[in-house]
Amino acid sequence: MNQQIVASLLEAAESRHSVRNFLPDALSDETLNELDDFIKELEVPFAHHTQIKRFKAEPGKKLYNNGINSPDNIAILAQTDLISVSKAGFCGQLIMLKLTSMGVRTCWFGHYKLQELAKYVGKDLAAKERIQETTWGLGYGYGNVVDAGERAICCIACGYANPEARRLVDKVASRNGIGRKPLEALMENPSDLSILPETVIRALNKARLAPSAANSQMWRFGIRDNGKTITAAKPIGYKHFKWEHPDADIGICAAHLWLALLNEGYFVQVEMKQDADRRLL
Ligand SMILES: Cc1cc2nc3c(=O)[nH]c(=O)nc-3n(C[C@H](O)[C@H](O)[C@H](O)COP(=O)(O)O)c2cc1C
């Protein structure tokens, strides 16, 4: 990836925070064209089959669990195995950072109403018969059942922030969002930090800023081969009580780490592998 693009996406990674309350204004054609070009030429360091579908949602409909739709949205679709889900997170985060760099505010949504989404992305990919909508009895997300085959993994709401209408839920959510665990708490072995050069510590600190469902930050960094290999994975056996795809979050974090290492001038090879019940980068 071109160094200028890397730098602008990384700058966006440092400033980005979720917005859940949007103005009704749609994104301009110019912004959408630039976004579409970015998606079409998306450069990632692995082969993948992630599908990225941009769509307009009807105003006032309850696509998301806070009941507020942004006019423009992106659905990220993939197979539900851990590697495909991680790759979907990685691709989605690069798109989110591109949007941020263009002044567009965003929020990941792992919980969305399938029946609403099916209207926009096609019945086969988000069909009600495939998975029962169970979360909290409200019909958002798909509960504990992980469906096989391709389906919507997450959506990204995109638009302009509504500064007038920050409800309590948004204020609490963004306050939670600002907090990130210190790097030591995210290392499989904190003493590894002492063998790493400043450049790698800086990169890990950028990875730490990645968004995660419910801000759970369950990624853990492992250092192998004397610092030449960095792994990012959830702890073995980790499960979130209402988020079915924590490996998407690992991919999201890995996208930050990849950009940050490229920005430090490293030649970076990315390999996605499965390790027990988790995806290892
Ligand atoms: C994979 C994923 C799924 C998410 N799903 C939701 C969601 O369903 N509803 C919501 O309000 N926020 C959702 N979020 C946003 C997180 O709560 C938010 O990113 C986190 O609290 C960190 O805050 P920040 O994005 O402001 O830095 C999700 C984030 C990720 C990465």
Side-chain angles (χ1 to χ4, degrees):
M1 187 180 271
N2 158 318
Q3 276 308 115
Q4 238 178 329
I5 301 176
V6 168
S8 85
L9 296 183
L10 204 55
E11 201 181 316
E14 288 178 278
S15 66
R16 185 215 57 84
H17 273 296
S18 298
V19 155
R20 295 172 180 77
N21 209 321
F22 295 91
L23 293 172
D25 311 355
L27 300 183
S28 68
D29 287 346
E30 198 188 345
T31 301
L32 290 175
N33 289 339
E34 193 173 333
L35 176 64
D36 288 346
D37 287 347
F38 184 81
I39 293 174
K40 205 157 55 194
E41 286 154 24
L42 191 66
E43 262 186 74
V44 288
F46 44 74
H48 70 99
H49 300 287
T50 311
Q51 276 207 68
I52 294 148
K53 290 203 173 185
R54 190 167 65 67
F55 64 93
K56 303 255 178 216
E58 289 172 43
K61 293 283 181 187
K62 291 190 172 182
L63 177 60
Y64 300 126
N65 57 3
N66 65 356
I68 297 178
N69 285 3
S70 50
D72 288 285
N73 299 271
I74 295 169
I76 312 281
L77 306 142
Q79 301 285 326
T80 53
D81 62 278
L82 302 187
I83 294 197
S84 303
V85 163
S86 288
K87 289 178 175 180
F90 193 113
C91 295
Q93 186 62 10
L94 294 182
I95 293 163
M96 179 173 266
L97 295 178
K98 172 65 182 171
L99 283 159
T100 309
S101 75
M102 293 191 291
V104 177
R105 305 302 303 271
T106 56
C107 186
W108 277 100
F109 279 92
H111 289 139
Y112 42 79
K113 196 153 179 57
L114 276 170
Q115 287 175 64
E116 274 295 306
L117 185 65
K119 287 203 250 172
Y120 307 118
V121 302
K123 285 201 178 56
D124 291 346
L125 293 170
K128 192 168 179 250
E129 321 74 77
R130 284 183 65 188
I131 317 108
Q132 260 198 316
E133 294 180 303
T134 54
T135 307
W136 305 117
L138 296 173
Y140 295 98
Y142 56 103
N144 296 323
V145 189
V146 172
D147 185 31
E150 190 184 40
R151 58 154 288 134
I153 304 295
C154 286
C155 291
I156 300 175
C158 344
Y160 302 108
N162 181 353
E164 302 284 298
R166 271 167 58 90
R167 303 175 312 165
L168 185 60
V169 65
D170 301 309
K171 286 188 189 152
V172 172
S174 29
R175 203 164 34 237
N176 287 344
I178 285 163
R180 292 294 191 270
K181 290 178 182 154
L183 188 52
E184 291 71 21
L186 300 174
M187 300 301 293
E188 285 179 353
N189 183 358
S191 65
D192 283 341
L193 288 174
S194 64
I195 64 157
L196 297 176
E198 261 314 296
T199 45
V200 174
I201 305 257
R202 262 202 305 268
L204 287 168
N205 271 313
K206 306 243 161 96
R208 195 173 68 85
L209 302 179
S212 53
N215 202 23
S216 41
Q217 305 163 65
M218 84 315 290
W219 41 74
R220 295 294 173 270
F221 303 116
I223 304 301
R224 315 264 162 97
D225 309 332
N226 240 343
K228 290 205 182 84
T229 302
I230 303 175
T231 60
K234 66 190 187 202
I236 287 177
Y238 174 88
K239 289 228 175 335
H240 190 269
F241 75 107
K242 65 172 179 145
W243 171 226
E244 301 84 357
H245 295 304
D247 288 274
D249 308 46
I250 302 297
I252 291 172
C253 175
H256 276 216
L257 185 55
W258 178 62
L259 289 171
L261 288 169
L262 288 178
N263 194 53
E264 294 291 352
Y266 285 100
F267 169 72
V268 193
Q269 274 181 304
V270 177
E271 202 184 334
M272 304 262 189
K273 313 199 248 200
Q274 188 151 343
D275 173 40
D277 68 341
R278 62 188 194 159
R279 206 277 304 139
L280 200 64
L281 171 89

